[in-house]
């Protein structure tokens, strides 16, 4: 009767969904809005149609929570977006106020216009998920050394912005294919004063919600409430300096440092639906008054990093514990709620089917089904398939309770388990266990975690250097952190290849100066302050490659996450042959690899238009239009093996990522290696993978799980860190979970490891009971049938 009523409803109802039998839902509603707006009609659409509802982007990473709870893979791109905005907010706040630690002269220490332009280019070029980057200054808040006689003057407006261009039909690419490596750069502050539609501070500009998030900074009461940060700097000559500067709000402030915009159509610019992370930039204003009591900290600009809305995964699962709202797309999944549970997948973007349907506790998959039902398959099913029970789980007949009071395992059975895990009988104690052919994972993990600052000097140097396969997974889990280094390497490469300090321009415009020590210090510390997984970052220049310095290596590190204090030291002060960084393995390897051949480097094209005069007026092409530079991408970097840094300022297990940067030689004829950027991440933040892998995968922990291999398979769990038990044991095809559980249909890896260790030490254990059973073996009907057969056979034998 229910099916008949539902079919009748479907035939009399008008729908506009993916298929005729499916009712219209929020996904169709938003898709209709996305398709309605384009570059031809966006200019005369109501402003309400240019924005999407705020709840179309759900599960936005909270900076107050990321250190505690893991960020799931479908939100790592959003996390990197916010970290990049925070990075730029910290850097420009620091460099704007760094003049207070330098002698007062009739000049400004601010970066030139080219620094701003190429900084936004590097933000986009280093990460394919980022679509645009910009710095928007409030009116008359931007100082610049890019014009003669412009000391202590401000631009009316200044807003360098870069977005990724579609170069499919670009004349510079004869291949007629999109490279994603062409960038359109504009100074959006260069416009006529009569044009309100080009004033990004005006409500007539269109979707400029990113500006109003922090600007104008109309503070009621005291202005000196801006968050302050402290940097302790140790220079190459061993002199020390402490600098305090105002910056974005701290992670523990309310509100935090990051604000998000609603998805909006970037009309007349990139003509895409974008989502932006916005972070304020602080400065002391006004400048050079001679009366410090009238100078106050204020937000003078915002850093805006944007990404394509359609690349953000949506969550179609119902709102539940761990899946809180608001979420416009909640409960649009097609899982059978009576027998299955929805679980989101990553990498699907804005399209249907980014989920899988798992069986509820008390249910199992059919004997012909190997894995949970994939949402994409269900969404494409016909009406007959959907209601025929194909995507339903089967009810388990009899369930049993878990043993509450464990018992001693039978000695013979225990010996069998120990034979299967012979590495627990014969192993090398201590850190020597990492070299065993079949490792005892508990001994290895305990030995690694047992090294600390108090005893690290008792170990040999080679013992504190693990094999590379102990860092398996770092390429994926620390990819965002590596992109921070790639971004800075891209920027330095672009600046060294495009900006020439000796260039002479017509009029009053002057070229940017060489990169300064303060700028490099600021870039290093902003990486450390913006990303909680990065513990240190360094910019290591090769010999005589930095102006007026033989060696230069600003190295920033922190001691606590999201603290207010960062340490910087110039490692050029360590100039003994066994201490100097140019003799370190990672530096010599990177230099030798990139000493002669640069053909595999990425080639990035820059189409730059900057202001015609100091006041703006209109845009004018840069003298080299288009221009290009070559730089490394993520794959060109070098991942070190895990190591314990016993002599460094932060003593812990780390993994280092190093990526090179390049510039022209003295004759500007060919590229040459100029140095390398490094970031280090704590090894113990890495999730290990104990599940089976291919024989060629360099994973030291593969196959060390404790699942029953006959009845279950291993699935990794995120967020468990460098410890055992980061997996779950799911029942394989033809088996079922036998226990009464309200929330689980699998055996947790931490529980399996604990019970295994109880068995190993001959304590009371339940390890032998944690296995799946044959599906259908406990059905009541099958047992009744079995009993009837036995009774019939007994009667026949009795008659005979």
């Amino acid at each position: 009767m229910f099916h008949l009523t539902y079919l009748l409803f479907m035939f009399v109802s008008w729908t506009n969904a993916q298929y005729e039998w499916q009712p219209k839902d929020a996904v169709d509603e938003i898709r209709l809005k996305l398709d309605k707006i384009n570059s031809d009609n966006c200019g005369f659409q109501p402003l309400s149609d240019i924005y999407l509802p705020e709840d179309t982007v759900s599960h936005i990473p909270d900076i107050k929570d990321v250190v505690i709870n893991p960020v799931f893979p479908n939100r790592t791109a959003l996390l990197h977006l916010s970290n990049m905005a925070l990075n730029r907010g910290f850097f420009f706040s620091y460099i704007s106020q760094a003049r207070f630690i330098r002698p007062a002269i009739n000049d400004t220490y601010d970066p030139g216009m080219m620094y701003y332009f190429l900084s936004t280019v590097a933000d986009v070029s280093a990460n394919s998920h980022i679509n645009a980057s910009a710095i928007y200054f409030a009116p008359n808040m931007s100082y610049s050394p890019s014009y003669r006689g412009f000391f202590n003057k401000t631009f009316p407006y200044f807003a360098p912005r870069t977005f990724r261009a579609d170069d499919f039909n670009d004349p510079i690419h004869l291949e007629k294919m999109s490279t994603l490596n062409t960038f359109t750069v504009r100074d959006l502050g260069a416009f006529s004063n009569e044009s309100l539609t080009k004033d990004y501070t005006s409500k007539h500009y269109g979707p400029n919600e990113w500006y109003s998030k922090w600007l104008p900074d109309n503070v009621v009461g005291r202005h000196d409430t801006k968050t302050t940060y402290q940097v302790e700097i140790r220079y190459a000559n061993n002199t020390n300096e402490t600098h305090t500067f105002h910056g974005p709000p701290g992670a523990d402030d309310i509100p935090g440092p990051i604000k998000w915009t609603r998805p909006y159509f970037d009309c007349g610019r990139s003509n895409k639906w974008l989502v932006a992370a916005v972070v304020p930039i602080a400065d002391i204003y006004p400048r050079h008054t001679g009366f410090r009591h009238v100078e106050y900290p204020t937000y003078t600009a915002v850093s805006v990093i944007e990404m394509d809305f359609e690349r953000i995964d949506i969550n179609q699962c119902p709102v539940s514990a761990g899946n809180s709202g608001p979420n416009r797309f909640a409960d649009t999944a097609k899982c059978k709620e009576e027998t299955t549970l929805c679980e989101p997948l990553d990498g699907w973007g804005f399209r249907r089917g980014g989920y899988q349907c798992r069986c509820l506790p008390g249910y199992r998959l059919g004997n012909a089904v190997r894995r949970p039902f994939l949402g994409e398959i269900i969404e494409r099913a016909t009406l007959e398939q959907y209601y025929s029970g194909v995507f339903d789980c089967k009810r388990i007949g009899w369930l049993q309770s878990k043993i509450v009071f464990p018992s001693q395992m039978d000695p013979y059975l225990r010996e069998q388990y120990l034979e299967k895990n012979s590495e627990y009988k014969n192993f090398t104690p201590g850190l020597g266990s990492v070299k065993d052919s079949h490792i005892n994972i508990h001994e290895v993990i305990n030995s690694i975690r047992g090294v600390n600052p108090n005893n690290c000097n008792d170990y040999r140097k080679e013992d504190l250097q693990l094999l590379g396969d102990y860092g398996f997974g770092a390429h994926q889990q620390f990819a965002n952190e590596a992109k921070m280094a790639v971004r800075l390497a891209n920027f330095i490469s672009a600046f060294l290849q495009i900006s020439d300090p000796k260039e002479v321009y017509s009029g009053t415009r002057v070229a940017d100066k060489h990169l300064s020590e303060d700028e490099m210090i600021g870039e290093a510390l902003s990486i450390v302050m913006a990303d909680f997984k990065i513990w240190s970052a360094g910019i290591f220049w090769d010999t005589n490659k930095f102006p007026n310095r033989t060696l230069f290596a600003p190295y920033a590190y922190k001691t606590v996450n999201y603290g207010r204090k960062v340490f910087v030291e110039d490692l050029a002060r360590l100039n003994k042959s066994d201490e100097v960084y140019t003799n370190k393995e990672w530096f010599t390897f990177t230099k030798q690899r990139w000493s002669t051949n640069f053909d595999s480097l990425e080639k990035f094209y820059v189409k730059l238009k900057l202001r015609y005069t100091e006041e703006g007026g209109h845009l004018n092409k840069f003298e080299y239009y288009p221009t290009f530079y070559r730089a490394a991408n993520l794959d060109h970097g070098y991942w070190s093996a895990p190591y314990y840094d016993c002599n460094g300022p932060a003593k812990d297990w780390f993994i280092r990522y190093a990526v090179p940067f390049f510039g022209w030689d003295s004759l500007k004829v060919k590229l040459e290696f100029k140095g390398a950027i490094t970031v280090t991440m704590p090894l113990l933040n890495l999730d290990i993978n104990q599940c089976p892998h291919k024989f060629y995968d360099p994973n030291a922990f593969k196959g060390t799980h404790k699942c029953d291999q006959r009845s279950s398979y291993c699935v990794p769990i995120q967020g468990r860190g460098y410890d055992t038990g980061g997996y779950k044991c799911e029942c394989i095809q033809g088996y079922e979970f036998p226990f009464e559980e309200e929330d689980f249909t699998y055996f947790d890896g931490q529980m399996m490891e604990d019970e295994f260790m109880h068995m190993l030490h001959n304590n009371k254990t339940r390890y032998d009971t944690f296995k799946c059973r044959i599906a259908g073996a406990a059905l009541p009907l099958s047992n009744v049938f079995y009993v009837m057969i036995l009774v019939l056979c007994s009667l026949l034998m009795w008659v005979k």
Side-chain angles (χ1 to χ4, degrees):
M1 185 65 185
F2 169 76
H3 294 295
L4 224 62
T5 307
Y6 188 82
L7 284 173
L8 185 61
F9 170 77
M10 295 304 302
F11 276 113
V12 301
S13 300
W14 177 84
T15 64
N16 184 26
Q18 186 177 15
Y19 294 105
E20 288 300 324
W21 66 272
Q22 297 180 359
K24 185 178 178 181
D25 57 21
V27 181
D28 302 296
E29 173 196 348
I30 300 302
R31 172 49 64 188
L32 194 64
K33 287 190 174 186
L34 294 178
D35 296 339
K36 175 184 175 182
I37 310 294
N38 55 52
S39 58
D40 297 325
N41 62 19
C42 65
F44 49 83
Q45 294 289 341
L47 195 60
S48 59
D49 289 348
I50 303 297
Y51 287 102
L52 295 180
E54 194 167 358
D55 58 358
T56 51
V57 180
S58 62
H59 305 81
I60 293 177
D62 186 357
I63 193 173
K64 296 177 173 60
D65 189 55
V66 293
V67 182
I68 303 170
N69 295 320
V71 176
F72 293 105
N74 63 352
R75 285 299 178 266
T76 52
L78 280 177
L79 178 63
H80 184 61
L81 194 75
S82 63
N83 288 346
M84 282 298 305
L86 199 57
N87 179 315
R88 297 294 82 202
F90 277 122
F91 171 76
F92 287 112
S93 296
Y94 172 82
I95 202 63
S96 299
Q97 300 166 58
R99 65 185 183 278
F100 292 115
I101 59 175
R102 295 289 168 257
I105 58 175
N106 290 331
D107 198 355
T108 178
Y109 292 99
D110 290 275
M113 286 195 302
M114 191 61 70
Y115 197 106
Y116 282 94
F117 289 130
L118 297 181
S119 174
T120 59
V121 170
D123 297 341
V124 183
S125 65
N127 190 343
S128 60
H129 287 89
I130 293 178
N131 183 272
S133 173
I135 306 292
Y136 296 93
F137 278 90
N140 295 306
M141 288 286 191
S142 173
Y143 297 84
S144 177
S146 296
Y147 290 92
R148 295 190 188 93
F150 207 69
F151 172 69
N152 208 20
K153 294 182 180 180
T154 57
F155 289 142
Y157 295 91
F158 184 50
R161 182 176 188 264
T162 296
F163 66 86
R164 195 183 305 274
D166 183 4
D167 56 0
F168 180 80
N169 290 315
D170 200 301
I172 61 178
H173 296 296
L174 300 178
E175 303 89 349
K176 293 296 180 182
M177 58 184 294
S178 295
T179 65
L180 300 179
N181 286 348
T182 299
F183 309 105
T184 301
V185 189
R186 299 284 185 271
D187 180 359
L188 300 182
F191 59 89
S192 172
N193 292 333
E194 291 77 25
S195 179
L196 287 178
T197 58
K198 293 185 177 180
D199 181 358
Y200 56 82
T201 68
S202 169
K203 63 180 181 180
H204 303 288
Y205 187 75
N208 62 347
E209 192 177 62
W210 28 260
Y211 182 84
S212 58
K213 288 291 184 182
W214 294 101
L215 298 175
D217 186 19
N218 297 322
V219 178
V220 179
R222 295 172 60 91
H223 275 268
D224 58 356
T225 56
K226 296 293 184 290
T227 307
T228 58
Y229 300 88
Q230 191 177 84
V231 183
E232 287 192 7
I233 307 174
R234 187 176 187 181
Y235 295 100
N237 59 2
N238 284 317
T239 59
N240 298 323
E241 194 166 42
T242 300
H243 176 45
T244 301
F245 70 98
H246 300 272
D252 54 344
D253 290 335
I254 299 177
I258 303 163
K259 291 185 179 180
W260 296 84
T261 66
R262 292 175 292 172
Y264 61 92
F265 190 81
D266 193 34
C267 184
R269 307 198 303 178
S270 60
N271 293 317
K272 290 178 177 290
W273 286 94
L274 302 178
V275 175
V278 189
V279 172
I281 296 171
D283 194 4
I284 305 297
Y285 185 86
R287 294 191 179 186
H288 308 291
T289 63
F291 304 96
R292 294 300 302 274
H293 65 280
V294 300
E295 299 176 359
Y296 57 90
T298 185
Y299 294 144
T300 59
V302 288
S303 170
V304 181
I305 309 291
E306 301 155 294
M307 74 175 295
D308 195 336
F309 167 74
E310 297 195 47
R311 300 190 69 173
I312 301 175
D313 294 334
I314 61 174
N315 189 342
Q316 294 184 250
C317 297
V319 174
S320 59
N323 183 24
S324 58
N327 178 12
R328 179 164 289 264
F329 307 109
D331 209 15
T332 59
K334 300 297 187 296
C335 293
K336 297 297 191 69
E337 296 182 0
E338 300 82 9
T339 63
T340 60
L341 178 70
C342 180
E343 184 178 277
L345 301 176
D346 63 279
W348 292 78
F350 184 80
R351 61 189 179 105
R352 293 179 178 273
Y355 60 90
Q356 63 183 8
C357 303
R358 292 190 168 278
C359 293
L360 285 170
Y363 291 85
R364 64 171 177 84
L365 293 171
N367 292 339
V369 183
R370 296 188 61 191
R371 295 292 185 267
F373 303 110
L374 195 61
E376 184 184 28
I377 304 299
I378 300 177
E379 296 277 356
R380 295 181 179 181
T382 62
L383 178 67
E384 293 77 14
Q385 288 175 325
Y386 187 74
Y387 286 103
S388 65
V390 174
F391 304 113
D392 281 300
C393 291
K394 300 183 183 299
R395 190 172 188 85
I396 298 174
W398 287 345
L399 293 172
Q400 61 193 72
S401 298
K402 284 185 179 178
I403 297 175
V404 179
F405 301 104
S407 60
Q408 206 82 24
M409 182 178 287
D410 180 84
Y412 178 73
L413 185 59
R414 176 175 177 271
E415 192 61 32
Q416 285 185 318
Y417 281 118
L418 294 179
E419 286 296 329
K420 292 179 182 178
N421 299 274
S422 58
E423 65 273 11
Y424 285 87
K425 283 187 171 183
N426 302 304
F427 61 87
T428 306
L431 278 178
S433 59
V434 301
K435 305 289 177 40
D436 291 344
S437 56
H438 297 285
I439 65 167
N440 178 338
I441 185 172
H442 289 88
E443 181 67 22
V444 167
I445 296 295
N446 291 336
S447 300
I448 291 175
R449 287 183 168 272
V451 183
N452 57 62
N454 297 323
N455 64 12
C456 64
N457 288 312
D458 299 335
Y459 292 89
R460 298 178 302 171
K461 183 178 179 180
E462 52 269 28
D463 290 337
L464 300 179
Q465 182 80 30
L466 301 181
L467 299 176
D469 52 1
Y470 283 92
F472 178 80
H475 299 67
Q476 293 79 31
Q477 298 178 41
F478 293 146
N480 284 347
E481 287 66 42
K483 289 174 184 175
M484 285 284 193
V486 174
R487 182 241 154 238
L488 183 51
N490 265 248
F491 165 71
I492 297 178
S493 297
F495 194 90
L496 295 179
Q497 296 173 45
I498 295 178
S499 179
D500 186 357
K502 299 179 181 179
E503 191 82 41
V504 178
Y505 300 113
S506 60
T508 58
R509 184 160 64 92
V510 295
D512 279 26
K513 298 178 181 178
H514 287 289
L515 295 172
S516 69
E517 292 185 17
D518 286 334
E519 289 167 350
M520 294 296 95
I521 289 174
E523 292 285 3
L525 71 87
S526 62
I527 291 179
V528 173
M529 298 176 75
D531 195 309
F532 77 98
K533 286 186 178 179
I534 296 178
W535 219 247
S536 67
I539 308 173
F540 297 86
W541 289 79
D542 199 10
T543 307
N544 295 321
K545 300 305 180 186
F546 191 80
N548 303 319
R549 291 289 300 274
T550 303
L551 294 175
F552 181 52
Y555 176 82
Y557 64 94
K558 59 189 176 186
T559 55
V560 294
N561 257 326
Y562 293 129
R564 305 292 173 87
K565 191 172 185 178
V566 183
F567 304 87
V568 179
E569 62 175 287
D570 186 355
L571 294 186
R573 68 183 184 83
L574 305 175
N575 51 20
K576 295 180 180 178
S577 59
D578 59 335
E579 294 179 343
V580 65
Y581 62 84
T582 54
N583 291 337
K584 298 297 183 182
E585 179 186 358
W586 61 267
F587 190 89
T588 56
F589 174 85
T590 305
K591 182 177 179 179
Q592 290 170 4
R593 181 184 178 188
W594 297 102
S595 59
T596 54
N597 191 350
F598 309 103
D599 293 341
S600 62
L601 292 177
E602 293 278 357
K603 190 174 184 179
F604 299 101
Y605 289 91
V606 179
K607 295 184 175 181
L608 170 60
K609 288 186 177 180
L610 66 168
R611 59 184 56 228
Y612 182 64
T613 63
E614 297 94 318
E615 290 75 23
H618 59 83
L619 288 172
N620 191 42
K621 288 183 178 180
F622 181 55
E623 279 71 10
Y624 304 96
Y625 185 92
T627 186
F628 69 90
Y629 70 95
R630 290 185 177 275
N633 60 29
L634 186 64
D635 295 331
H636 293 148
Y638 165 75
W639 290 91
S640 74
Y643 66 96
Y644 192 91
D645 190 358
C646 192
N647 300 317
K651 295 176 173 56
D652 206 342
W653 289 98
F654 291 108
I655 291 180
R656 178 189 290 112
Y657 176 79
V659 62
F661 56 88
F662 307 90
W664 296 114
D665 62 5
S666 57
L667 300 178
K668 296 193 70 173
V669 174
K670 64 181 182 68
L671 291 179
E672 66 178 8
F673 173 82
K674 295 289 187 179
I677 312 294
T678 67
V679 289
T680 58
M681 290 70 65
L683 174 68
L684 301 185
N685 284 352
L686 183 70
D687 292 332
I688 66 173
N689 192 333
Q690 295 181 246
C691 297
H693 285 83
K694 300 292 185 182
F695 69 93
Y696 49 79
D697 286 333
N699 180 8
F701 301 109
K702 62 185 175 185
T704 59
H705 65 91
K706 302 303 183 294
C707 298
D708 179 55
Q709 299 186 32
R710 177 176 296 178
S711 63
S712 61
Y713 64 96
C714 175
V715 179
I717 294 179
Q718 187 186 7
R720 299 285 175 88
Y722 212 77
D723 206 349
T724 58
Y727 60 90
K728 57 183 177 180
C729 304
E730 296 272 7
C731 297
I732 65 174
Q733 183 179 0
Y735 286 80
E736 64 189 16
F737 187 76
F739 297 113
E740 289 179 325
E741 288 283 357
E742 294 183 359
D743 302 314
F744 304 109
T745 58
Y746 58 84
F747 300 101
D748 190 274
Q750 289 181 337
M751 180 178 62
M752 298 297 293
E753 296 287 340
D754 288 342
E755 294 297 333
F756 177 84
M757 294 305 292
H758 289 322
M759 181 272 298
L760 179 67
H761 297 115
N762 203 18
N763 297 326
K764 293 181 178 181
T765 181
R766 299 174 295 174
Y767 180 71
D768 190 45
T769 65
F770 289 166
K771 58 182 65 175
C772 300
R773 71 186 180 198
I774 296 177
L779 282 176
L781 291 179
S782 64
N783 285 336
V784 170
F785 180 75
Y786 181 67
V787 170
M788 292 292 292
I789 292 293
L790 288 177
V791 171
L792 186 59
C793 291
S794 300
L795 288 174
L796 289 175
M797 292 177 64
W798 182 77
V799 170
K800 290 181 180 181

